[in-house]
Amino acid sequence: MVGRSAWAGVISLAAVILLGTALATIPTPLYPLYVREAGLDAVGITATFAAFAAGAVVGLAVAYRASGRLSRRSAYTIAAALQGSSALFLAVDLGIPGFAFGRVVTGVGAGLLAASGTAFVIELATAVPPRAGRIVRAGAPALAFAGLGLGPVISALADPSGLVAVRGIFLVVGVAVLSLLGVSLVVLAPSSGRATAVSARGPRRLPWEAGSGAFAAFMTTGLFGSVTSLLLGELGIHDAPRAGAFAAAVFVAGAVGVVLLAPRVSLAVAGLLLAVGLLFVGVAVTIASVVFLGAAALVAGLAAGALFSRSLRTAIEAAPESVFTQTVAVFLCAYAGLAIPVLGFGVVAHAAGTDIAVWGFTGIGSMLCIAVSVCALVGARTSRAQAPFGAQERSLA
């Protein structure tokens, strides 16, 4: 597949990934409506977000186990169909239990769509001119961040006045995702994305720093993707458009970090930058400064994008013959980071207050980032030390 057909495939895939993953964060600035009309508290908000992320973890775990038999195209089609269906389900008024179930299904689809779509785009990059292909490969991980950032933008622009209007948003997005899926399957070449990892015989090992780096990166975005309204509410901001714009800015910063910062920094440097950004978030909440919180969130978002991109690259380099499997493994770790820490945040915030929850979250996150950096530095030094010996053995052979 070359020329226009290749670009049509990349663009159609990107559109589905963006809108499909946007479903994950559409509710982010709208939780005050659920608090007012459905009685959710901080624990309920984080629990519904964690339900989404738990669905993503389960879906990715199943995909990882089946990655030797599941092609990128099949995984992408299943994921996009799940996303469209979950949006239509959320458009029906089934109360909080129905909303929670819909979020679980959304999670399953979003995680699988982000992983399979990213791997699919990386594959299609080989069909475009080399220079453009390098840009497509470098930007592929940014789609997950950009999609998560698109969700709050949709909500902010719609600015619904109640849950009835929110369900209207889900209806429109669901129809759009299913329509775009149909378009993408038409424009994609029939042979694209059908290969599986069955023929790959190399090791499928996920380096610790790659998995933990992805965990830390999405742990950071998960904070702003779930409790932005709570954090801003503590600082006196309660309107959905501003909360949506704030959350979207963090995810967009993550996408920018993937494209612009990741090529310029190592995994170790990205980890240290995120550690600093997380500590700045803690300071901003403590001094109750909206401006400083915004700046800290942007720094953290940029660093999270760079860290995730470098983590994905490290994983693929460890097993280049198993791109899809390694991509799924990285996203599995990432969505675990999206789910687990923020649920703990909600529990601590409910029991001890937002300040303590924020410092606990940012402190643990910073320590994890530093551990990733140390491990990456040690691994890089070990690789350099072993390189001369490997070259000597090849010359003797």
Side-chain angles (χ1 to χ4, degrees):
M1 185 170 65
V2 295
R4 293 182 179 179
S5 59
W7 279 115
V10 171
I11 293 170
S12 64
L13 270 175
V16 174
I17 296 169
L18 287 172
L19 199 55
T21 53
L23 279 167
T25 51
I26 282 177
T28 296
L30 306 178
Y31 280 119
L33 295 177
Y34 288 94
V35 172
R36 187 177 72 230
E37 298 187 22
L40 280 180
D41 57 9
V43 175
I45 292 172
T46 51
T48 54
F49 186 84
F52 148 78
V57 170
V58 171
L60 286 166
V62 172
Y64 181 76
R65 295 285 295 179
S67 60
R69 301 178 299 277
L70 191 66
S71 69
R72 296 166 177 80
R73 190 187 191 96
S74 297
Y76 159 76
T77 303
I78 293 169
L82 278 173
Q83 284 301 84
S85 301
S86 69
L88 297 180
F89 182 87
L90 289 167
V92 181
D93 183 9
L94 296 175
I96 292 301
F99 176 69
F101 178 78
R103 293 293 287 164
V104 172
V105 179
T106 300
V108 175
L112 186 55
L113 180 60
S116 61
T118 299
F120 207 165
V121 171
I122 291 173
E123 176 190 320
L124 292 177
T126 61
V128 300
R131 179 176 296 181
R134 288 192 295 270
I135 296 173
V136 171
R137 282 192 296 273
L143 292 172
F145 282 96
L148 292 171
L150 179 61
V153 171
I154 293 173
S155 297
L157 292 176
D159 192 17
S161 58
L163 294 184
V164 173
V166 172
R167 289 190 285 272
I169 296 174
F170 284 123
L171 176 62
V172 172
V173 173
V175 171
V177 169
L178 293 175
S179 300
L180 287 171
L181 170 61
V183 171
S184 69
L185 293 178
V186 170
V187 300
L188 286 167
S191 60
S192 63
R194 294 195 180 277
T196 67
V198 172
S199 60
R201 301 187 182 279
R204 300 193 309 179
R205 182 186 66 85
L206 182 66
W208 182 89
E209 61 271 26
S212 298
F215 184 99
F218 270 55
M219 171 185 176
T220 301
T221 56
L223 176 68
F224 297 102
S226 62
V227 295
T228 292
S229 298
L230 178 64
L231 294 177
L232 294 180
E234 292 286 323
L235 303 181
I237 298 176
H238 301 282
D239 57 299
R242 292 176 69 182
F246 188 94
V250 175
F251 289 113
V252 171
V256 173
V258 169
V259 176
L260 298 182
L261 184 59
R264 294 171 172 78
V265 299
S266 65
L267 179 62
V269 172
L272 291 176
L273 288 174
L274 183 53
V276 172
L278 284 170
L279 291 176
F280 282 171
V281 171
V283 172
V285 173
T286 300
I287 65 176
S289 171
V290 176
V291 174
F292 194 66
L293 178 61
L298 291 178
V299 170
L302 281 167
L307 181 59
F308 178 75
S309 179
R310 299 302 303 191
S311 297
L312 181 59
R313 179 175 176 177
T314 299
I316 292 175
E317 289 176 348
E321 71 290 334
S322 301
V323 173
F324 180 42
T325 302
Q326 294 294 85
T327 302
V328 171
V330 169
F331 273 96
L332 176 57
C333 294
Y335 275 89
L338 202 67
I340 300 170
V342 77
L343 185 59
F345 176 94
V347 173
V348 175
H350 181 75
T354 303
D355 280 5
I356 293 177
V358 168
W359 274 111
F361 187 98
T362 57
I364 293 172
S366 296
M367 288 188 288
L368 178 60
C369 291
I370 292 171
V372 168
S373 296
V374 171
C375 186
L377 287 171
V378 171
R381 180 170 296 182
T382 302
S383 297
R384 285 195 298 268
Q386 291 176 345
F389 295 102
Q392 184 177 7
E393 289 177 358
R394 287 192 295 272
S395 64
L396 290 175

